[in-house]
């Protein structure tokens, strides 16, 4: 299997390989609180919060401004980074691989509307900006999101992975029917060289209709399979001279695994369950354990409960990163904006009905009840935090009617059709109905999210912090809740809040990166434009 990064120029004379710009930053901070060393950026940061309490006698709420002094250290050398996708031969995996190759080689292709050039639209990191500050004329200055702190560039990534299906990535791209034919033609020869590693297949965890794809398998016991996957990761790292590898699950949605005491509740029980070949250990959990034991961050792009308590316990013990669940790409992403807008505008959603149909293999797998249930769960929890934050509109425990429907219609392929209806109570008992029709290739929404998840996860492997209570530099918690913006059902450290509101998630990411370089949070108060002088 030759990773994307080692490919020669293609026969069609694509432009020379455009190495990325990993590690580039758009600015330097001039502050006594920020120190640039040969290999890191160190910042001293005052984290301001407000602690609220209630007076025991009067019942009055009290708000107390509070500061915690942090030090952050970001290693600035990115190094050689790899991405190993589980489900590499799927629509997302093949589309992403082809698209990164097209960007890397500066490939353009012909369409009905003229020449199209490769880009990274839809990626927060690669195609959005953040406000750095204001210039001397008090005009806003914006910089690329991926240049606030040194980040890996997708053009520099070495891509590999596994699939239960043996199709090479060129044929997988053709099978996916996502990308324009002229682009497919220009990248096919390169992609046809890329072959997914054999993977782990337990029929009980995905739809029976996937069985015919399963011709590229690792045999043996679960322990032998775990050891095999770990060796795969080590081989990939060594063969490509990588400093680190990120493992991304973009394989099919699995059914939920039962949470069983003594089986997957702790790290040791989970490792023993694998040794015992316990049937409730899913392929995705096996990949998560292999990744953690190899110190490779693992991100779950699907909705199933891969990150069982035993996985979290193991990740915490090994100080390895995990993240999930389920790429937040279309209907749910819009919902995490629209629901917040409505509730924060004092408008009360009464019913949110989300229907979609699609005809790709993901849709085929989701046509089975157990796999649909995993997706229904991840799509249903997205408004909980917004509703819970407004007790003026919703009594405790009150919730909008929220319905999720997914149908499989083969003829539409990857071009998902999503229809949403929001019925809300407005002023004086009025009703407002918002209807949305949203269609596009689903994989063109998800692929850029894989880039963002990969880039942010890689960054977090180079960041550490300490406070006055820490004797040494500490990594962030193993469960990367900073990834929430890209995920439908964010997994967070135990006993911490889940935030789904998209604006809050973006603000958190933006301001945490600003803190890494000693900059205060963006607050948009614009006092300089509101005062008399
Ligand atoms: N917009 C989106 O496409 C989107 C959004 C959110 C979540 N997702 C999730 O991302 C995942 C992938 O989506 P897709 O459209 O690429 O699906 P897909 O069916 O095209 O690809 C999944 C791939 O995984 C492979 N696979 C299944 N089980 C495997 C295993 N145990 N090991 C290795 N490979 C395995 C299959 O052979 C297939 O090639 C799905 O779970 C989907 O629900 C997709
Ligand atoms: O991201 P989103 O559009 O809310 O949800 C999508 C679902 O509506 C779709 O049916 C499924 O195939 C995709 O994997 C994705 O999960």
């Amino acid at each position: 299997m030759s990773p994307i990064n080692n490919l020669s120029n293609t026969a069609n004379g694509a432009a020379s390989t455009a190495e990325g710009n990993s590690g580039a930053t758009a600015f330097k901070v001039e502050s006594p609180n920020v120190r640039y060393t040969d290999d890191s950026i160190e910042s001293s940061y005052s984290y301001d919060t407000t602690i609220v309490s209630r007076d025991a006698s009067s019942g009055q709420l009290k708000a107390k401004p509070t500061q915690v002094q942090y030090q952050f250290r970001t290693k600035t050398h990115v190094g050689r980074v790899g991405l190993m996708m589980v489900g590499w031969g799927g629509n997302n995996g093949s589309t992403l691989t082809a698209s990164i190759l097209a960007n890397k080689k500066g490939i353009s292709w012909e369409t009905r509307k003229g020449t199209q050039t490769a880009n990274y639209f839809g990626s927060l990191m690669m195609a959005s900006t953040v406000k750095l500050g204001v210039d001397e004329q008090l005009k806003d200055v914006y910089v690329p999101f991926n240049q606030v702190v040194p980040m890996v560039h997708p053009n520099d990534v070495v891509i590999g992975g596994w699939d239960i299906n043996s199709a090479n990535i060129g044929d997988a791209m053709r099978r996916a029917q996502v990308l324009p034919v002229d682009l497919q033609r220009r990248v096919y020869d390169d992609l046809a060289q890329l072959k997914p590693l054999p993977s782990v297949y337990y029929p009980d965890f995905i739809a029976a209709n996937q069985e015919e794809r399963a011709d590229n398998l690792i045999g043996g016991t679960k322990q032998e399979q775990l050891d095999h996957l770990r060796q795969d990761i080590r081989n990939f790292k060594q063969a490509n001279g990588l400093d680190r590898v990120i493992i991304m699950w973009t394989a099919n949605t699995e059914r939920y695994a039962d949470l069983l005491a003594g089986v997957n509740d702790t790290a040791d029980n989970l490792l023993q369950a694998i040794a015992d070949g316990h049937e409730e250990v899913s392929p995705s959990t096996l990949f998560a354990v292999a990744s953690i034991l190899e110190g490779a961050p693992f991100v779950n792009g699907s909705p199933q409960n891969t990150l069982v308590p035993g996985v979290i316990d193991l990740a915490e013990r090994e100080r390895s990163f995990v993240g999930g669940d389920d790429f937040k790409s279309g209907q749910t992403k819009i919902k995490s904006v629209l629901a917040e807008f409505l509730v924060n505008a004092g408008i009360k959603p009464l019913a949110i009905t989300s229907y979609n149909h699609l005809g790709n293999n993901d849709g085929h797998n989701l046509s089975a009840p157990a796999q649909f249930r995993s997706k229904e769960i991840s799509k249903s929890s997205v408004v909980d935090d917004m509703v819970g934050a407004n007790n003026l509109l919703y009594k405790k425990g009150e919730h909008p009617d929220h319905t999720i429907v997914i149908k499989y219609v083969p003829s539409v392929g990857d071009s998902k059709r999503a229809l949403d209806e929001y019925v809300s109570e407005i002023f004086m008992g009025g009703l407002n109905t918002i209807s949305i029709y949203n269609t596009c290739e689903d994989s063109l929404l998800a692929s850029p999210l894989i880039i963002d998840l990969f880039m942010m996860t890689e960054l977090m492997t180079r960041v550490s912090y300490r406070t006055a209570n820490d004797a040494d530099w500490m990594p962030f918690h193993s469960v990367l809740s900073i990834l929430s913006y890209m995920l439908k059902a964010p997994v967070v450290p135990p006993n911490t809040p889940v935030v789904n509101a998209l604006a809050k998630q973006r603000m958190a990411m933006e301001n945490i990166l600003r803190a890494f370089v000693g900059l205060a949070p963006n607050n948009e108060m614009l006092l300089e434009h509101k005062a008399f002088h």
Side-chain angles (χ1 to χ4, degrees), residues 326-333 356 358 362-363 366 375 379 406 416 442 488:
D326 207 3
F327 306 128
K328 182 159 75 171
S329 54
Q331 270 182 333
T332 307
K333 193 166 193 172
N356 76 77
L358 70 172
D362 180 30
L366 290 172
K375 188 67 76 170
K379 286 174 70 88
I406 298 176
K416 179 185 69 183
D442 228 6
K488 287 196 192 62

Side-chain angles (χ1 to χ4, degrees), residues 9 13 25 30 75 125 134 156 172 249 315 345-346 349 381 415 436 462 507:
N9 273 329
T25 53
E30 290 183 351
K75 295 286 187 186
M125 298 294 150
V134 294
D156 296 333
W249 178 275
S381 57
S415 177
I436 300 172
R462 291 182 282 113
M507 193 188 302

Side-chain angles (χ1 to χ4, degrees), residues 207-327:
N209 61 42
Q210 298 299 307
E211 186 174 5
E212 62 189 16
R213 278 175 87 105
D215 65 355
N216 192 34
L217 308 181
I218 305 169
T221 66
K222 291 202 177 188
Q223 183 64 53
E224 289 164 341
Q225 291 168 332
L226 173 66
D227 297 340
H228 188 117
L229 296 179
R230 293 185 62 183
Q231 190 60 54
D232 286 344
I233 296 169
R234 288 197 292 270
N235 291 347
F236 186 75
K237 252 183 114 168
Q238 189 274 328
N240 295 287
L242 301 176
D243 297 297
R244 70 184 62 82
V245 177
I246 313 281
I247 314 295
M248 183 79 58
W249 178 275
T250 181
N252 283 121
T253 294
E254 298 172 332
R255 69 168 173 81
Y256 260 50
D258 295 338
L259 299 184
L260 303 171
V263 176
N264 49 26
D265 54 343
T266 68
D268 290 336
N269 287 341
L270 179 57
L271 293 172
Q272 188 56 55
I274 292 169
D276 298 342
H278 198 286
E279 62 184 13
E280 266 317 280
V281 177
S282 66
S284 61
T285 291
L286 206 69
F287 271 97
V289 169
S291 305
I292 292 166
L293 294 177
E294 290 304 316
F298 175 88
V299 180
N300 177 28
S302 295
Q304 72 277 347
N305 63 338
T306 302
L307 306 181
V308 292
V311 166
I312 305 292
D313 186 25
L314 184 64
E316 290 174 334
R317 186 167 79 186
E318 298 293 324
R319 290 289 168 89
S320 190
F321 288 123
V322 294
D325 296 323
D326 207 3
F327 306 128

Side-chain angles (χ1 to χ4, degrees), residues 511-524:
N511 288 330
I512 288 171
L513 266 56
R514 291 174 65 90
F516 291 166
V517 289
L519 295 177
N522 260 332
N523 57 42
E524 294 309 333

